[in-house]
Amino acid sequence: MKPLHTTLRLGILLLVLACSMGVTAQTSKTAQNNNQQVSLPSTNKGDTITDRVSTDKIYDVVDENPHFPGGNGAMLDWLSKNIHYSSGCASLQGRVVVSFYVEPDGSLSDIELVQKVDPELDEEVLRVVKAMPKWIPASQNNNPIRAKYTLPIEFRCE
């Protein structure tokens, strides 16, 4: 029989991998063209988005999404080595979702919990994400850009 913490970590890692495979860079639907105003058609019939000016370029689609150095496998290994918790199995179940921006230099910013489960798990996820090494940033036209990333981390007993 495997020790409880090994079983928990395996469950966490499998779910993080499954959930993170579908994650893409997420950005606002604002457009900018050389700091000039741009009007965009809305998906709502008869509506337009007007008079919005952005100082930074924001992309809806990027050439390459941000990713952990070494890919998802490396991220899972890193998380399994760095997630520490002390509560029993029953209080450790649930999905904590954290979002953050991967900056052009690979650093993480604006780290926030999107979905909370338990104060201990929530704080541990924040601690671990803040301790992550620099990521490979998203890119557009071979230039690194800022992109939002959402990471679900599932805690469950098996």
Side-chain angles (χ1 to χ4, degrees):
M1 181 175 204
K2 291 182 182 179
L4 179 61
H5 71 279
T6 302
T7 304
L8 284 172
R9 284 189 180 176
L10 178 61
I12 292 168
L13 294 178
L14 291 175
L15 288 169
V16 167
L17 177 62
C19 293
S20 67
M21 286 183 178
V23 175
T24 60
Q26 301 172 2
T27 57
S28 171
K29 289 205 176 208
T30 308
Q32 183 255 351
N33 185 13
N34 297 326
N35 291 330
Q36 296 176 353
Q37 292 178 289
V38 177
S39 294
L40 298 175
S42 172
T43 56
N44 298 326
K45 196 172 188 177
D47 244 352
T48 57
I49 303 169
T50 57
D51 300 325
R52 293 189 183 179
V53 178
S54 174
T55 57
D56 298 320
K57 281 192 175 185
I58 301 173
Y59 298 89
D60 287 323
V61 179
V62 296
D63 293 340
E64 185 177 332
N65 292 321
H67 58 277
F68 191 86
N72 282 338
M75 179 172 56
L76 293 175
D77 288 343
W78 193 90
L79 287 170
S80 72
K81 291 176 185 171
N82 290 282
I83 290 179
H84 306 288
Y85 42 87
S86 59
S87 293
C89 187
S91 67
L92 290 176
Q93 297 189 68
R95 178 184 296 177
V96 178
V97 180
V98 63
S99 72
F100 49 87
Y101 283 90
V102 179
E103 299 295 336
D105 68 355
S107 63
L108 305 183
S109 67
D110 299 326
I111 300 166
E112 65 180 347
L113 294 173
V114 176
Q115 181 177 321
K116 299 176 181 181
V117 172
D118 175 88
E120 181 183 351
L121 295 181
D122 300 342
E123 288 303 314
E124 183 60 9
V125 167
L126 284 175
R127 184 192 70 79
V128 168
V129 170
K130 288 176 182 178
M132 281 183 159
K134 286 190 173 187
W135 282 45
I136 309 302
S139 66
Q140 185 70 23
N141 299 322
N142 293 321
N143 294 314
I145 60 169
R146 183 179 200 232
K148 189 172 186 178
Y149 194 90
T150 302
L151 178 64
I153 301 176
E154 184 86 25
F155 293 88
R156 68 177 178 160
C157 295
E158 291 186 346

